Amino acid sequence: TKTLTILGLESSCDDTAAAVVRQAEGARPEVLSSIVFGQTELHSAFGGVVPEIAARAHAEKLDICVRDALAEAGLTLKDMNAVAVTAGPGLIGGVMSGVMCAKGIAASTGLPLIGVNHLAGHALTPRLTNGIAYPYLMLLVSGGHCQYLLVRGPEDFSRLGGTIDDAPGEAFDKTARLLGLPQPGGPSVQAEAEQGDPKRFRFPRPLLDRPDCNLSFSGLKTALMRMRDQIVAEKGGLTRQDRADLCAGFQAAVVDTLAEKTRRAIRLYLAEQPGQPTVAAAGGVAANTAIRAALETVCAEAGAAFTAPPLRLCTDNAAMIAYAGLERFKAGARDGLDLTARPRWPL
Ligand code: KG4
Ligand code: ZN
């Protein structure tokens, strides 16, 4: 029987990562190692990811990540069948660092090189972690993306709808910035929201009057700014409770919007793919416990199965890249040393 072992690299945003994933024929894939170096501290003084700083840090950390990922798996490059790397979309300097590192490995070892779309990595993660079969409905919610995808195969995605402006993770990050909470905003806003009253402030639920599954999150930021400024004008500043209530109101709006649009996405999905649907969520925002709980409820009501990867594989990591590379490899895909880094790359 054939066993495939793939080294994966990821460096498209602010995490440098390497991982080893293995799959024996007929068996479930296994994550043998997954190393992630976050860059949050490097960027914290700037209120956002600085591309030049990110690219330099990726270039410095990639070799160490690869060494650690191999060591943790107890393997060497000789044990690999291919090296997979995020070739886009993302911050171009970081993507180039990863692609160059992977090319160096491929050129020096003769291993096949496989370019992976970062979004495909997120979208295939539920197959890695939960073993779900094609087809399924994917809700991809991260700091840069928000879309509903009908996933039929490793390279067969159709988009059913998505955000028309900001991604939800971006909205969480902006909310944190406006309220003086630490980045990344998702976890800190979630923690505040758990202490707050979601009914005190009424945030808009955009696009619910439309029958499609498109979303919009940019209005939430404007609403938040207005509410914050009004409190400051009236009382001279925000109390802890004000902050928690604003976070709770904001998060409730995101939860309601995603829940309702997921109901509609399931309907659109069923029109193309009748039967009992499987719905999967991935991307950093799928780590949010309130969002997960709402999606679980919506799916239960619609008779759909719901899965989401464990939190550490929802946010950026290289195991998802190694696994997407493994699926592409099995499907016969190979990239040459002329593989290019792509800042934009729609699925
Ligand atoms: O998938 P990801 O690691 O990176 C990409 O955007 O590709 O997602 C990062 C985003 C950030 O915006 C972060 O604030 C958000 O995911 N996030 C969360 C939570 N954890 C991370 N958003 C809401 N709730 C969370 N618990
Ligand atoms: Zn991501």
Side-chain angles (χ1 to χ4, degrees):
T1 58
K2 182 103 177 90
T3 296
L4 290 177
T5 311
I6 311 285
L7 172 68
L9 306 183
E10 156 65 36
S11 55
S12 64
C13 188
D14 60 350
D15 292 298
T16 317
V20 178
V21 168
R22 168 174 277 178
Q23 186 169 30
E25 201 170 301
R28 286 275 300 274
E30 277 177 274
V31 179
L32 298 187
S33 63
S34 178
I35 306 290
V36 181
F37 272 116
Q39 300 181 351
T40 311
E41 310 79 55
L42 289 181
H43 303 288
S44 62
F46 305 96
V49 178
V50 184
E52 288 76 15
I53 295 178
R56 191 168 320 144
H58 286 308
E60 275 168 20
K61 283 283 192 292
L62 272 161
D63 288 344
I64 304 167
C65 279
V66 169
R67 189 195 63 199
D68 290 359
L70 289 169
E72 198 175 298
L75 299 172
T76 68
L77 285 174
K78 288 199 184 66
D79 302 307
M80 301 298 124
N81 294 97
V83 52
V85 61
T86 300
L91 297 173
I92 190 64
V95 180
M96 281 174 65
S97 301
V99 167
M100 259 153 41
C101 178
K103 280 183 186 176
I105 293 170
S108 62
T109 57
L111 284 175
L113 178 66
I114 309 203
V116 170
N117 183 308
H118 179 85
L119 303 176
H122 280 303
L124 299 182
T125 304
R127 289 176 51 75
L128 167 65
T129 57
N130 303 72
I132 67 171
Y134 295 119
Y136 53 95
L137 171 63
M138 177 80 214
L139 167 56
L140 181 55
V141 272
S142 73
H145 302 277
C146 177
Q147 43 194 306
Y148 290 101
L149 298 165
L150 192 175
V151 185
R152 290 200 183 89
E155 305 193 61
D156 186 353
F157 303 91
S158 16
R159 193 176 187 276
L160 301 174
T163 185
I164 59 165
D165 43 54
D166 292 354
E170 217 174 331
F172 272 94
D173 294 342
K174 285 177 181 168
T175 295
R177 210 164 296 140
L178 288 170
L179 297 177
L181 300 168
Q183 295 293 324
S188 42
V189 171
Q190 177 183 318
E192 288 294 318
E194 281 159 9
Q195 312 299 320
D197 171 9
K199 299 222 165 67
R200 179 168 157 211
F201 297 103
R202 178 72 192 170
F203 282 79
R205 270 78 172 149
L207 303 189
L208 287 195
D209 52 328
R210 311 248 195 100
D212 57 34
C213 62
N214 288 327
L215 305 115
S216 162
F217 293 102
S218 68
L220 294 182
K221 180 189 61 179
T222 322
L224 178 81
M225 234 168 349
R226 212 181 45 239
M227 293 168 187
R228 179 198 64 176
D229 293 348
Q230 195 182 339
I231 304 172
V232 172
E234 282 168 10
K235 304 196 295 191
L238 296 180
T239 62
R240 273 217 71 168
Q241 198 57 49
D242 292 333
R243 227 176 246 119
D245 293 344
L246 284 167
C247 286
F250 161 82
Q251 184 172 277
V254 176
V255 166
D256 284 356
T257 312
L258 283 173
E260 181 53 30
K261 290 297 179 172
T262 300
R263 274 185 205 106
R264 295 178 194 179
I266 292 173
R267 263 178 248 141
L268 291 174
Y269 175 91
L270 284 174
E272 297 203 32
Q273 209 69 56
Q276 205 223 3
T278 299
V279 178
V285 179
N288 185 285
T289 45
I291 292 173
R292 278 187 187 228
L295 295 177
E296 266 169 37
T297 306
V298 165
C299 288
E301 283 165 7
F306 175 77
T307 68
L311 304 190
R312 73 196 161 78
L313 294 176
C314 267
T315 50
D316 286 349
N317 66 88
M320 69 179 191
I321 302 305
Y323 179 70
L326 190 150
E327 285 219 28
R328 288 201 69 210
F329 186 82
K330 277 205 280 190
R334 304 286 184 276
D335 289 295
L337 290 175
D338 58 348
L339 175 69
T340 51
R342 303 169 66 171
R344 303 182 64 80
W345 184 3
L347 274 177

